[in-house]
Amino acid sequence: MNKKGYWMAMIDVRDPEMYKQYIEANAVAFTKYGAKFPVRAGRYENPEGPTGNRHVLVEFESYDQAVECYHSPEYQHASKFRLAASTGHFVIVEGA
């Protein structure tokens, strides 16, 4: 049985309007790869220092699927908007 894969991101959005374009564009890849969003923005505390102003956890059925989604042409197109509109920390990890 494959372990789930996750994208974890702590983002500091500088250009909210362009970031909206990212959200619209990433829907194509996320639908194709069956992404689920246990966390997508929402309230937060950062008691140990700045972590950005947007926090996201994206769940995939497997680690391989999470990596494939990231490298897909659909997501690479969307990521151009994210990279232009924000900075942050992003990692793909295998679940427990």
Side-chain angles (χ1 to χ4, degrees):
M1 183 172 152
N2 286 335
K3 294 181 180 181
K4 292 192 178 198
Y6 296 89
W7 291 9
M8 297 169 40
M10 296 184 297
I11 305 296
D12 190 21
V13 177
R14 295 183 317 269
D15 184 339
E17 290 306 311
M18 183 170 289
Y19 200 84
K20 287 179 187 177
Q21 293 178 51
Y22 165 66
I23 293 170
E24 291 171 10
N26 72 27
V28 175
F30 289 153
T31 299
K32 179 178 179 179
Y33 289 90
K36 297 178 184 171
F37 295 87
V39 177
R40 193 171 200 181
R43 296 182 337 164
Y44 65 91
E45 280 189 43
N46 46 9
E48 295 188 8
T51 61
N53 56 21
R54 185 172 178 87
H55 307 89
V56 180
L57 178 65
V58 186
E59 179 183 273
F60 296 87
E61 286 303 311
S62 70
Y63 174 79
D64 290 339
Q65 192 173 16
V67 171
E68 288 173 22
C69 182
Y70 181 82
H71 292 290
S72 71
E74 296 88 353
Y75 185 74
Q76 289 304 303
H77 167 72
S79 72
K80 292 174 186 175
F81 297 109
R82 177 178 58 84
L83 294 171
S86 66
T87 57
H89 298 281
F90 182 102
V91 64
I92 302 171
V93 298
E94 184 175 60

